[in-house]
Amino acid sequence: MDDGRHVRQRLVAGFGGGAQDCLRASSVLIAGCGALGCLIADQVVRAGVGRVVIVDRDIVEPSNLQRQSLFATADLGVPKALAARARLEAVDPTVRIEAWVDSIDRESIEDYIADMDLVFDGFDAMEPRYLLNDVCVRDRVPWVYCAAIATQARAMLVQPDGPCLRCVWPDPPPSGALGTCDTAGVLGSTVAIAAGASVSLGLPVLAGGKPGAPALISVDTADGSWRSISVSRDPACPCCGHRRFDWLEGAWGAGTAVLCGRNAVQIRPAVESLLDEAGWLQRLAQAGSFAAGQGLVRGSLDPSLTSGLPLELTVFVDGRAVVHGTSDPAVAATVCARVLGG
Ligand SMILES: [Zn+2]
């Protein structure tokens, strides 16, 4: 919309001249519309990106409202993608907003990134980021890694010929090694730092500018550290070096199985856990009431983490998890992503 709304942005070096037209001609994917996705989508729509595609499988819950800035109380129970679209269309009706209530997985991801100029990572777990890295490296689509947990924020632009996620972290962390927003918590202000860094890295790409040297932005507001860590391409990288797309092609990340007749779904982690029973008990302390014994930890999940469903969770010390009380793999995967990460 040329009603003067971008006049301040045009004054900034790199955003004058034809840059606004470049933004208007761009398509971006917001992969996940939780706290990060909300803030990123809001900023790219306001910046004048022409087409914004939002994909998210969840509905708005009360615990989201602390930091998921596109949602209000009236949106509770509404799919996040649809609530986000409604809000963003009100912000700028000339931006084409597409919303899909869907999981981004091996089957769907290629369709979603097919005609994208840039992908923003709004995921809440590491595994889908490896899948996104695979498909973006293979298809030469730039993407921005973005993560926030507790007081830590991170962001990194992955360019087609630059270092990729697996140059920095060849493998995802072992199951349970990292907390999740549902177990370790997150500050809204931390999310804002991560999202702001991501958009700052991604927008110049869309505006036709030249990105800076590859770097991982890493901030911890608890100890006041703000770092830009130089990263470089690893010739031995399995993904961009050896062109092995383990997540996309199925060697990894295919660990979900419905346990027939048991109303339960098993999720096998990509990387085995290093935690013992005590470690898992501590990890799950905020997720419900759990007890350990015989190589596993078992208990009832807090209903606030399960959309009210009465679900039980068993985690074996190797990280294998069984969600009891559902036979829907998507429900089990959502719960495990929230509670276990990965
Ligand atoms: Zn790489």
Side-chain angles (χ1 to χ4, degrees):
M1 187 184 285
D2 192 15
D3 54 4
R5 69 176 60 202
H6 301 120
V7 64
R8 300 290 186 280
Q9 181 170 290
R10 288 175 190 272
L11 293 171
V12 176
F15 289 89
Q20 201 65 46
D21 293 334
C22 292
L23 291 176
R24 176 61 64 181
S26 297
S27 295
V28 307
L29 173 66
I30 311 290
C33 198
L36 293 168
C38 277
L39 287 162
I40 292 168
D42 187 61
Q43 290 177 42
V44 299
V45 166
R46 289 177 192 274
V49 170
R51 176 171 169 242
V52 178
V53 179
I54 298 168
V55 184
D56 193 285
R57 65 187 175 192
D58 290 332
I59 62 167
V60 179
E61 297 179 28
S63 67
N64 302 147
L65 297 177
Q66 164 236 7
R67 64 199 181 283
Q68 300 190 13
S69 59
L70 294 177
F71 310 135
T73 306
D75 297 317
L76 291 173
V78 177
K80 290 181 179 179
L82 304 185
R85 181 179 63 189
R87 169 67 181 156
L88 294 167
E89 283 177 344
V91 168
D92 188 343
T94 68
V95 175
R96 187 170 148 202
I97 315 281
E98 296 172 27
W100 299 93
V101 183
D102 194 7
S103 296
I104 293 184
D105 55 25
R106 188 182 298 152
E107 277 69 45
S108 66
I109 194 165
E110 290 172 289
D111 289 340
Y112 285 125
I113 75 144
D115 52 356
M116 290 297 147
D117 298 298
L118 184 75
V119 180
F120 283 103
D121 160 15
F123 290 125
D124 55 3
M126 283 307 284
E127 276 208 41
R129 295 181 172 122
Y130 282 79
L131 177 65
L132 181 59
N133 188 65
D134 270 3
V135 73
C136 286
V137 169
R138 190 196 67 179
D139 295 354
R140 300 185 60 78
V141 178
W143 73 281
V144 185
Y145 160 71
C146 182
I149 189 159
T151 57
Q152 297 170 40
R154 283 178 176 166
M156 182 176 81
L157 171 65
V158 177
Q159 292 266 65
D161 294 311
C164 81
L165 186 71
R166 294 190 78 179
C167 290
V168 181
W169 296 290
D171 298 314
S175 173
L178 298 180
T180 73
C181 289
D182 290 298
T183 56
V186 66
L187 297 181
S189 54
T190 306
V191 179
I193 292 167
S198 293
V199 176
S200 300
L201 291 168
L203 222 47
V205 174
L206 300 175
K210 194 170 173 293
L216 170 68
I217 308 293
S218 177
V219 175
D220 191 335
T221 56
D223 63 13
S225 62
W226 295 65
R227 293 182 295 164
S228 175
I229 301 161
S230 180
V231 293
S232 54
R233 195 155 173 200
D234 178 2
C237 172
C239 183
C240 68
H242 294 301
R243 311 286 299 171
R244 225 179 59 218
F245 305 113
D246 295 328
W247 301 84
L248 190 60
E249 291 168 358
W252 291 49
T256 307
V258 178
L259 303 181
C260 293
R262 288 177 49 192
N263 196 29
V265 177
Q266 174 177 285
I267 309 266
R268 192 178 289 281
V271 180
E272 285 196 3
S273 164
L274 302 175
L275 298 178
D276 57 11
E277 288 176 15
W280 274 113
L281 261 189
Q282 187 181 3
R283 176 68 69 207
L284 293 169
Q286 303 301 320
S289 51
F290 284 84
Q294 299 180 322
L296 57 85
V297 175
R298 180 170 180 143
S300 303
L301 287 162
D302 190 292
S304 70
L305 299 172
T306 65
S307 304
L309 290 172
L311 299 181
E312 293 200 344
L313 176 69
T314 301
V315 182
F316 299 83
V317 286
D318 64 0
R320 185 165 53 92
V322 178
V323 179
H324 310 263
T326 181
S327 55
D328 184 341
V331 169
T334 300
V335 166
C336 283
R338 298 183 76 169
V339 175
L340 307 177

